[in-house]
Amino acid sequence: MPGKSATATRTTAAAEGDVTVLLIGMRINHFWAVHHWLPVFLAMPRMLRELAKDPERGLLSHVLLTASPRTYYVVQYWESKEKLYKYAHSPDMFHHRAWAVINRKERKGQVRGHVGLWHEAYVVPEGSYESIYADMPAFGLAAAHGQVPLEQRGKRARDRFAYRSDNAAGKRAEKKVVAPGKAPDGV
């Protein structure tokens, strides 16, 4: 990876708490329809630049990927689903304008079949993710949340899955488990 130096050790992501991940992409259905897919292809880098200028919006990191010569996508790591939704619906951001154009063209039947669009969003609870990086610069989840030596979270995947941050442990302790059909004390 240009510009990033690898760490000569094994590390894991320093993520704590829930992790919000967005996979978003496009598929070129007709290569000859450049006037339909090129604006879509160019929209994502514009949105990523817009988000990079304003870190308070919540995008922590992203990775640009290709699945085939037709399919391109981005893995995005966000501070929270709330910040992701806020960006997506904010009328002063490019994403909102881009979707307005796409929806308008779709209503007119101008984009059907030429370019495919998709996204998947996940909120992954702490204890449901783990990572390992061997001789790698910060990448993926580690680029979004930082990285720590593997020993801090466990050398084995099951140990990293079992890791709980102090913050998450406190939240779990606050929750009261109530048997089905029973009301908690004081209610």
Side-chain angles (χ1 to χ4, degrees):
M1 296 174 66
K4 294 183 179 180
S5 58
T7 58
T9 184
R10 290 183 179 206
T11 62
T12 189
E16 294 191 350
D18 295 348
V19 170
T20 301
V21 181
L22 174 69
L23 308 177
I24 186 165
M26 63 170 281
R27 182 182 189 275
I28 300 169
N29 293 330
H30 301 119
F31 282 112
W32 54 265
V34 176
H35 61 291
H36 286 293
W37 62 259
L38 186 61
V40 175
F41 184 82
L42 296 175
M44 183 54 68
R46 182 172 172 185
M47 287 180 232
L48 293 171
R49 283 190 305 272
E50 177 179 69
L51 285 160
K53 289 178 185 174
D54 189 0
E56 291 299 312
R57 294 252 178 218
L59 180 65
L60 299 172
S61 184
H62 68 277
V63 179
L64 300 167
L65 299 167
T66 182
S68 73
R70 291 182 180 272
T71 307
Y72 302 89
Y73 66 106
V74 183
V75 179
Q76 298 179 357
Y77 300 90
W78 286 79
E79 284 181 32
S80 66
K81 70 179 180 189
E82 291 78 18
K83 287 195 174 188
L84 169 60
Y85 291 155
K86 187 174 181 179
Y87 172 74
H89 296 282
S90 182
D92 61 326
M93 295 285 104
F94 181 68
H95 178 271
H96 194 269
R97 292 190 303 275
W99 268 106
V101 169
I102 290 168
N103 289 333
R104 202 168 30 254
K105 285 183 177 185
E106 190 171 273
R107 282 192 295 274
K108 293 178 182 178
Q110 295 175 335
V111 293
R112 189 62 68 197
H114 297 296
V115 61
L117 300 170
W118 63 275
H119 86 253
E120 299 172 359
Y122 304 95
V123 176
V124 187
E126 186 171 58
S128 298
Y129 57 85
E130 71 88 21
S131 61
I132 188 169
Y133 309 93
D135 302 328
M136 286 282 296
F139 182 83
L141 190 60
H145 292 274
Q147 59 192 126
V148 295
L150 198 62
E151 294 75 23
Q152 285 188 15
R153 301 286 172 89
K155 287 188 176 186
R156 295 189 174 120
R158 71 172 170 234
D159 298 330
R160 293 186 302 276
F161 272 120
Y163 173 82
R164 299 296 185 273
S165 63
D166 292 338
N167 188 22
K171 286 181 182 177
R172 278 190 308 283
E174 291 175 15
K175 291 182 181 178
K176 290 186 177 183
V177 178
V178 178
K182 301 286 185 186
D185 294 340
V187 178

